[in-house]
Amino acid sequence: MAEIDNISIDQDEKLPRNFIQQQIVDDLAEGKNGGRVHTRFPPEPNGYLHIGHAKSICLNFGTAKKFGGLTNLRFDDTNPTKEDTEYVDSIMEDVRWLGFDWDDRLFYASDYFDKLYEFAVTLIKEGKAYVDFQPQETISEQKGVPTRPGTDSPYRTTSPEENLELFAKMKSGFFNEGDCVLRAKIDMSSPNMHMRDPLMYRILKQPHHRTDDKWCIYPMYDYAHGQCDYWEGITHSICTLEFEVHRPLYDWFVDQLRDSDYRPRQIEFSRLNISYTVMSKRRLLQLVKENYVKGWDDPRMPTICGLRRRGYTPESMRAFSDMVGITKVDGVTDVAVLEYCIREDLNKRAQRVMGVLDPIKVIVTNYPEGQVEEIDAVNNPEDESMGKRKVPFSRELYIEQEDFMENPTNKFYRLSPGREVRLRYSYFIKCTDVVKNEQGKIVELHCTYDPETKGGNSPDGRKVKATLHWVAVAQAVKAEVRLYDRLFTDPDPAGHKDKDLLEFLNPDSLKVLTECYVEPFVKSAKPLSNFQFERLGYFNIDPDSTPDQMVFNRTVSLKDGYKK
RNA sequence: UGACCCGUGGUGUAAUUGGCAACACGUCUGGUUUUGGUCCAGAAGAGUUCAAGUUCGAGCCUUGACGGGUCAACCA
């Protein structure tokens, strides 16, 4: 583990400084916050984390580490109507899986409910907050529109003494949901809508997943976040671009609270978008709820649990996060970059194995019936230390239907009648007969092998143009293989104002093959193990897999240089 | 018609702070190869949204346009 950390630090050193790191360098140079760097990852536990969160996790933990600082995990659980411990657990699992550790610094916004209440009381006493009994629509109307100033609430002039009493009644449950709210008294004519007397508390008579029914008033995000940062000693509060206009409010609350030079600073960066998928919790939830996918961990989902099930490694996701960079530019990253990252990682590490997805039987007519040879095969040509294994070879084999063409085109140089190819690690074979059924469909190929070519080379220096993967029929493990394609047919499915993203759902995003054959070696592997099926791609064992019925996911295909 | 933010090859980022626009992905050649993978060598592709200004010199500073985004939830 230590070794992996060192490697990632070394790589990090080579990366150019992003604008956030630059700002931290500047802050440090100015001697801010006693030279401390402390970040936090603050998800709301109302859904599963996706790869955009992974970028934020890498950014927050990575940035702090780079400057010798710390990172907290904090659940932003100020809305009991949406949150649940199910999400808390999955989020912790995902952060750990990505390779990050918050040590003992696990916090919840709900940890601060008492302090937030006390602070609200202070603001009321200072005449900076008031209880407003107007209906929601009226408050909204009074806020006006961005181009026109708002108007004051009639409750804005209530005395602090009376507000104190009213707020206490709010807390005690005297009022019903919607009767009133607590608002900060700031500036109803501010060009920034968030400064027009924002709501601090609303009444929600709902149990909270941690505080149960202790509270019936809950703080709003804007009222809670900066204060939580402050109390935790956060120095750099990194969030996404949509919070940019919240920053003056963030600063306003913190300024009311702080009593020293220390102040947390909000910095915004652009959220991650990846082509051919969507990245908002709302839309992902819709895909799950309406059964367009099989769950949050469906391997087609851009969720961390989905990508994990698909066969993505933490290393590949961290590499991806580094590669896309941090800016304030709103763009769409090509999914090919993600695919590059997992291929690069798995190329170095994945156990090679042979598997036939779309089989056609080959009879090696001059090979003795009943004979089985154990052929030596290299486990990973990129890593000699991974050693070798034995693969059974016999008279009846499966090869890929795609690897045979009765009337080959110019560029096709695999098996065809009369042509000789190599079976990987074993022998040269030559196709002598094509056996068809009554409908004219090819059902079997008859080949001869050259015993002199054992291991895959001919003593006479004869060359072949292709090497095929294969599996011996008798020893083959029959398996199900799930092939995934992009979820949407449009590079930016959520980017069309006039069209619903469901119009772009890819009907072929999942293809299940049930008649696949894999060499027996895979039987010994654990769930989620990554393999390369030679010439095809990277595959892993799905959690649905059982010893009797193995199930593989295709993580990603190999790059294919073959052009028809 | 307000405030704030953002515009650099197809895509994502860089440009040591004002000095020959670089890297990665992708694409295309060629070589090696017992994976049409990997690896190696190479190529094409932007003159930095536009315009003016400051300057010996601007992707970077200034001003103004244009284009895109965010903000008017008792969500975060």
Side-chain angles (χ1 to χ4, degrees), chain A residues 547-563:
Chain A
D548 293 334
Q549 174 61 48
M550 293 196 78
V551 179
F552 292 88
N553 298 308
R554 183 174 67 192
T555 309
V556 67
S557 65
L558 248 32
K559 245 177 102 176
D560 190 0
Y562 171 55
K563 280 162 207 79

Side-chain angles (χ1 to χ4, degrees), chain A residues 107-320:
Chain A
F107 300 100
Y108 295 81
S110 52
D111 292 339
Y112 307 101
F113 282 174
D114 285 298
K115 288 176 91 166
L116 286 164
Y117 180 84
E118 288 310 315
F119 179 44
V121 167
T122 306
L123 289 176
I124 292 171
K125 284 179 184 162
E126 292 172 357
K128 291 172 180 166
Y130 61 97
V131 178
D132 196 327
F133 284 88
Q134 298 179 105
Q136 194 172 153
E137 307 76 54
T138 310
I139 291 178
S140 174
E141 275 165 34
Q142 284 171 351
K143 278 193 182 174
V145 292
T147 51
R148 297 237 180 290
T151 52
D152 288 1
S153 163
Y155 294 91
R156 208 172 195 262
T157 50
T158 310
S159 71
E161 294 70 29
E162 197 176 336
N163 276 319
L164 238 30
E165 208 172 295
L166 292 170
F167 188 47
K169 276 182 163 177
M170 271 177 75
K171 185 196 178 196
S172 71
F174 182 83
F175 300 115
N176 293 316
E177 277 188 27
D179 281 356
C180 56
V181 293
L182 184 73
R183 298 176 71 181
K185 195 189 289 185
I186 306 180
D187 179 5
M188 287 305 289
S189 62
S190 169
N192 183 335
M193 297 296 290
H194 295 278
M195 301 299 274
R196 321 247 262 224
D197 288 11
L199 269 62
M200 293 166 61
Y201 275 94
R202 77 288 213 189
I203 298 170
L204 253 22
K205 300 208 167 173
Q206 302 225 25
H208 183 279
H209 68 100
R210 293 188 72 240
T211 60
D212 197 21
D213 58 358
K214 179 181 175 190
W215 295 89
C216 65
I217 57 171
Y218 291 92
M220 302 290 290
Y221 165 87
D222 282 310
Y223 176 64
H225 204 92
Q227 286 81 284
C228 294
D229 284 344
Y230 180 87
W231 286 319
E232 288 177 21
I234 301 303
T235 57
H236 299 272
S237 183
I238 302 169
C239 62
T240 45
L241 239 33
E242 65 269 24
F243 291 101
E244 212 153 23
V245 287
H246 294 238
R247 199 191 323 145
L249 181 55
Y250 177 101
D251 289 338
W252 191 88
F253 280 124
V254 169
D255 278 341
Q256 306 306 312
L257 185 58
R258 72 198 185 106
D259 56 2
S260 71
D261 285 343
Y262 158 66
R263 87 180 300 166
R265 170 181 185 181
Q266 177 179 303
I267 303 175
E268 311 85 11
F269 73 103
S270 60
R271 70 167 58 245
L272 175 69
N273 295 301
I274 297 180
S275 57
Y276 299 101
T277 189
V278 290
M279 208 69 86
S280 85
K281 272 187 192 171
R282 200 191 92 235
R283 294 199 166 98
L284 294 176
L285 181 68
Q286 183 189 8
L287 294 175
V288 173
K289 282 265 157 76
E290 297 174 14
N291 296 312
Y292 295 106
V293 295
K294 291 176 180 168
W296 287 100
D297 69 342
D298 187 300
R300 291 166 292 182
M301 291 281 274
T303 48
I304 294 177
C305 54
L307 289 162
R308 174 168 62 228
R309 184 167 178 180
R310 172 89 170 245
Y312 276 79
T313 59
E315 291 83 357
S316 69
M317 295 188 56
R318 282 189 250 128
F320 175 72

Side-chain angles (χ1 to χ4, degrees), chain A residues 6-126:
Chain A
N6 286 334
I7 288 165
S8 69
I9 288 172
D10 290 342
Q11 286 173 342
D12 200 41
E13 294 300 331
K14 286 180 209 151
L15 290 171
R17 228 173 234 167
N18 61 50
F19 79 99
I20 295 178
Q21 290 171 353
Q22 187 56 56
Q23 288 183 9
I24 292 175
V25 168
D26 294 346
D27 288 347
L28 258 23
E30 287 175 40
K32 285 186 182 169
N33 305 322
R36 289 186 308 110
V37 174
H38 201 145
T39 60
R40 100 270 91 111
F41 174 63
E44 183 187 15
N46 69 343
Y48 285 78
L49 261 29
H50 54 63
I51 189 165
H53 294 107
K55 174 180 172 178
S56 174
I57 292 165
C58 292
L59 174 62
N60 275 294
F61 282 90
T63 301
K65 183 170 185 177
K66 185 170 185 120
F67 291 95
L70 300 170
T71 305
N72 297 356
L73 174 63
R74 181 168 75 230
F75 288 99
D76 218 330
D77 55 350
T78 57
N79 185 354
T81 65
K82 291 188 174 177
E83 296 149 6
D84 197 90
T85 49
E86 171 196 356
Y87 301 121
V88 170
D89 295 340
S90 78
I91 288 168
M92 291 200 283
E93 181 187 0
D94 288 348
V95 175
R96 283 204 191 93
W97 178 77
L98 273 173
F100 298 101
D101 190 357
W102 55 89
D103 298 317
D104 58 347
R105 294 179 308 283
L106 170 64
F107 300 100
Y108 295 81
S110 52
D111 292 339
Y112 307 101
F113 282 174
D114 285 298
K115 288 176 91 166
L116 286 164
Y117 180 84
E118 288 310 315
F119 179 44
V121 167
T122 306
L123 289 176
I124 292 171
K125 284 179 184 162
E126 292 172 357

Side-chain angles (χ1 to χ4, degrees), chain A residues 356-359 477-483 511-517 549-551:
Chain A
V356 176
L357 266 37
D358 186 16
V477 175
K478 191 175 174 186
E480 173 179 321
V481 175
R482 299 172 183 169
L483 304 180
K511 212 174 283 178
V512 180
L513 307 178
T514 53
E515 193 82 10
C516 308
Y517 295 95
Q549 174 61 48
M550 293 196 78
V551 179

Side-chain angles (χ1 to χ4, degrees), chain A residues 346-373:
Chain A
L346 259 21
N347 177 50
K348 288 179 291 197
R349 304 161 39 183
Q351 165 77 44
R352 267 57 168 179
V353 100
M354 290 194 285
V356 176
L357 266 37
D358 186 16
I360 183 166
K361 198 178 270 186
V362 167
I363 311 290
V364 185
T365 51
N366 59 337
Y367 194 86
E369 256 178 83
Q371 182 172 312
V372 178
E373 272 180 87

